[in-house]
Amino acid sequence: MANNRNAGRKPKINAEQLDEIIKRHKDGETISSLALEAGVSKQALSKRIKNKNANKEATLDYYIDGQLCTRIFLDTSKHLVRIVNYASKLSMCAFGYLESPNWSDLQNFLDEYYEMAKGIKSSNQYIMKDSLGNIDILKENTIFDKYAILSKDKDHIPNFYFSKKNKVLTRTDTNGYQLKGITHNRRYFVKSQAIISGVALRDYLVEIIASNICNQLSIPCVQQRQCSFVYEGQSYDGVYSENFELDGYTFISFERLLNRQGLSTKDEDFIALDSISKLKWCANQLSIIGKLEYKETLKYMLDLAIIDCLVGNVDRHTKNFGLFFNAYSGKYETPLVFDNGMGLFENDYYRDSYNTFDEAMRNVYVAPYGEDPFDMIEMLNKEFDLLNIYTTIRDIKYQDILSTEHALEYERRMLEYVRTKIH
C-alpha cells in the first residue's frame, strides 16, 4: 500500500546530517561514536551510510581560478547528465557549446580534463570537486577510478589524442609538416612541433617562452602550455591553448583584410618604406578597416614587433596577424598575439652546422620589416620610448627550457641589450 499520508516514523538523521556524518567518518571517526552521538544504533547508521553510498547521484562543480563555471549533476545508475553553466564565456563552461551533454560527452570531458588538470600550474588551476569539497566522490565506480587524483602531479604534461576521423590539419610544404587539431568539445587548440626535413624542431618551447614573456610585459596573448600531440599512435611534443573561436571570435588575417581593399604589402610603395613607417602603415590600415582607434592598433603592431625581437621570431607574416571579428558584437577587435614559435633558431634546421653565433644570426630577421632584431628593437626604442610602454622590460627573464647553444647566447645578448640600452 502506498504511503500517501507520509505516515511512519521520521528518520532521526536528515540528509544534510548524514552527509556530515559520512564526511566525519572519512576523516577517521568511528561508526560507533557517530551513532552514539546521533542517538541511533550502530547497525542503523551503517545501513543509512550503505544506502547513501549506493545512491549513484552526485554533483560535481567545475571551477576555473576559483570561479564556479559549471555544476554537473550525475545519475550513474541511469547514465544521465544535467548541467548548469554559470560562466558567461563558452570557453569557461565544462562542456563548451554543449547544453545537454550525454554520458559519452561526460566520459570524454573527464578523460580530457584529467590530463588537463595534471598539466596546469600557477593561477590557471582547474579544480573539480563535489559539494563537500571531495574530488573522489565516485571513486568506487570504475569509470571514475582515476579521477580521484585530479589535484596531484601538477608537473605532468597532458596528452591529446587524435585520429584520422578527427579534423586534424596538417601544415605542409616541400620540407615538412606540423599537425594541428581542436579537441572534441572545441575547448582547446592543439599544435604539434614542426617537422622539417626529418628534424623535429623545438618551436613549441619557443611558443611557451614567448607566451611567458608576453605575460611579463602585460602583452595580451594566446597562452601556450606544453602537451603531447598523439596522432595515430605517434606522439609529438606540442602546445595547447584556449580556442578563442568558442567565445565568438574569428581571426581575419591582415593579408585577407588588405585583399578586400585591393592592397598588398608586396606593393612597391610599401616595400620602399622604412621599418617604422611600415609598422605604422600596417597599424593605420588595421585602424581604418576595423574602425578602431589608431593608438590601439599601433600598440598591437608594436607588441608583435617587441615579442618577435625578444625571441628572434622570423615567421611573422601577413597571415598570422590581423584582427578579431566578434560575432556577438558584430565588430572588429585587436587580436591576441600568437604564433611566435619560429624563433631562437628553431626556424632553421641547418643551425647545427653554424660554427659561430654571428654566422647563425645572418638568417635571423624581424618580419615583415626585414630587420636584424637588435637593430629593430633599437629603432623601436628610439621611436616609442619602450620603457615608458613596457615598464618591466628590463626585468624580463627567459624560461630555462630551451638549452641550445645559440638560443642561450641570443637570450644572454638580448637581456644585456634591454638592461643597458633601454632607458
Side-chain angles (χ1 to χ4, degrees):
M1 181 184 297
N3 187 10
N4 295 326
R5 296 185 297 108
N6 197 25
R9 186 171 59 185
K10 302 297 187 296
K12 291 185 177 181
I13 304 173
N14 61 33
E16 184 177 344
Q17 291 169 328
L18 183 61
D19 286 338
E20 177 63 22
I21 287 173
I22 291 173
K23 183 177 184 300
R24 289 170 61 183
H25 180 50
K26 287 183 177 181
D27 290 338
E29 296 187 49
T30 65
I31 294 292
S32 298
S33 64
L34 292 168
L36 181 63
E37 180 182 326
V40 299
S41 69
K42 176 181 176 181
Q43 292 76 12
L45 183 57
S46 294
K47 184 177 180 179
R48 286 290 305 278
I49 293 175
K50 182 179 179 180
N51 289 339
K52 175 70 175 181
N53 289 336
N55 186 353
K56 297 302 182 181
E57 294 183 359
T59 302
L60 295 177
D61 288 342
Y62 180 68
Y63 289 79
I64 297 180
D65 293 339
Q67 176 187 343
L68 175 60
C69 297
T70 302
R71 178 157 288 162
I72 308 169
F73 301 93
L74 307 176
D75 185 333
T76 61
S77 62
K78 299 179 181 179
H79 284 194
L80 297 178
V81 183
R82 182 171 64 87
I83 63 171
V84 176
N85 288 321
Y86 296 93
S88 58
K89 292 184 177 181
L90 287 177
S91 61
M92 296 179 68
C93 297
F95 295 91
Y97 66 96
L98 295 178
E99 296 181 355
S100 301
N102 57 32
W103 196 252
S104 177
D105 296 324
L106 172 69
Q107 290 178 301
N108 287 334
F109 165 74
L110 289 174
D111 282 336
E112 190 170 283
Y113 173 78
Y114 173 68
E115 298 293 350
M116 289 290 304
K118 295 196 300 182
I120 293 179
K121 299 182 286 186
S122 71
S123 61
N124 294 315
Q125 190 175 97
Y126 289 64
I127 305 169
M128 187 158 64
K129 57 186 179 181
D130 66 18
S131 57
L132 296 178
N134 302 317
I135 57 171
D136 58 348
I137 186 172
L138 297 174
K139 67 180 181 181
E140 294 180 359
N141 187 311
T142 54
I143 294 177
F144 300 97
D145 278 348
K146 61 186 178 182
Y147 307 113
I149 57 170
L150 285 179
S151 64
K152 302 177 182 178
D153 194 15
K154 296 299 182 185
D155 293 325
H156 178 80
I157 296 174
N159 298 312
F160 291 95
Y161 296 88
F162 298 92
S163 62
K164 290 182 179 179
K165 68 179 181 180
N166 301 118
K167 293 183 178 180
V168 175
L169 303 176
T170 306
R171 190 202 73 179
T172 60
D173 54 32
T174 56
N175 292 320
Y177 62 92
Q178 184 176 41
L179 303 174
K180 301 176 182 178
I182 296 178
T183 55
H184 80 280
N185 61 358
R186 297 175 56 208
R187 177 183 298 280
Y188 302 107
F189 179 75
V190 189
K191 180 168 62 174
S192 79
Q193 63 194 133
I195 311 295
I196 308 295
S197 292
V199 177
L201 303 187
R202 285 153 295 198
D203 54 318
Y204 66 99
L205 294 178
V206 185
E207 293 270 21
I208 296 170
I209 290 171
S211 177
N212 180 264
I213 293 176
C214 282
N215 292 340
Q216 294 179 60
L217 297 179
S218 298
I219 294 175
C221 73
V222 175
Q223 297 295 314
Q224 302 288 356
R225 301 180 181 93
Q226 188 173 353
C227 68
S228 291
F229 191 115
V230 184
Y231 180 69
E232 293 293 305
Q234 179 68 42
S235 182
Y236 305 87
D237 290 318
V239 290
Y240 67 92
S241 57
E242 301 282 346
N243 177 20
F244 51 73
E245 292 184 350
L246 200 57
D247 290 324
Y249 292 104
T250 300
F251 174 73
I252 311 295
S253 72
F254 190 53
E255 182 168 308
R256 184 176 173 187
L257 294 169
L258 288 182
N259 286 340
R260 293 174 180 176
Q261 308 299 316
L263 300 172
S264 173
T265 55
K266 297 179 181 178
D267 292 343
E268 291 184 3
D269 290 343
F270 178 82
I271 295 173
L273 296 174
D274 62 72
S275 295
I276 298 300
S277 297
K278 287 178 179 177
L279 185 148
K280 291 182 177 180
W281 185 88
C282 293
N284 189 51
Q285 293 303 321
L286 290 174
S287 173
I288 295 171
I289 296 170
K291 298 181 180 179
L292 299 167
E293 291 288 337
Y294 173 70
K295 64 179 181 181
E296 184 180 348
T297 56
L298 181 63
K299 175 60 164 55
Y300 169 63
M301 291 304 303
L302 181 58
D303 287 344
L304 290 170
I306 285 297
I307 197 63
D308 288 344
C309 286
L310 293 177
V311 299
N313 179 39
V314 303
D315 195 38
R316 184 67 57 205
H317 49 78
T318 53
K319 292 183 179 180
N320 63 12
F321 73 92
L323 294 174
F324 273 171
F325 181 76
N326 187 327
Y328 296 124
S329 67
K331 297 180 180 179
Y332 285 108
E333 299 179 18
T334 54
L336 302 171
V337 172
F338 66 93
D339 204 356
N340 313 296
M342 291 301 182
L344 295 173
F345 305 98
E346 289 303 322
N347 60 292
D348 190 349
Y349 49 92
Y350 295 116
R351 62 192 177 281
D352 292 335
S353 65
Y354 296 130
N355 295 318
T356 67
F357 175 81
D358 291 336
E359 186 180 352
M361 278 294 295
R362 292 173 186 169
N363 291 311
V364 179
Y365 56 91
V366 178
Y369 316 108
E371 294 286 355
D372 174 273
F374 291 90
D375 293 338
M376 185 67 185
I377 200 169
E378 183 177 358
M379 295 176 193
L380 295 172
N381 186 44
K382 182 177 180 180
E383 181 70 22
F384 297 105
D385 186 10
L386 297 180
L387 188 59
N388 185 49
I389 300 173
Y390 307 101
T391 58
T392 59
I393 192 168
R394 292 191 297 188
D395 301 318
I396 64 169
K397 296 180 180 179
Y398 289 86
Q399 285 179 283
D400 187 19
I401 55 177
L402 187 62
S403 57
T404 54
E405 179 183 358
H406 294 330
L408 292 176
E409 180 64 12
Y410 187 93
E411 293 173 356
R412 186 191 69 78
R413 294 193 185 196
M414 186 56 72
L415 285 176
E416 180 181 15
Y417 180 87
V418 299
R419 289 168 182 170
T420 60
K421 302 295 185 180
I422 296 179
H423 302 288

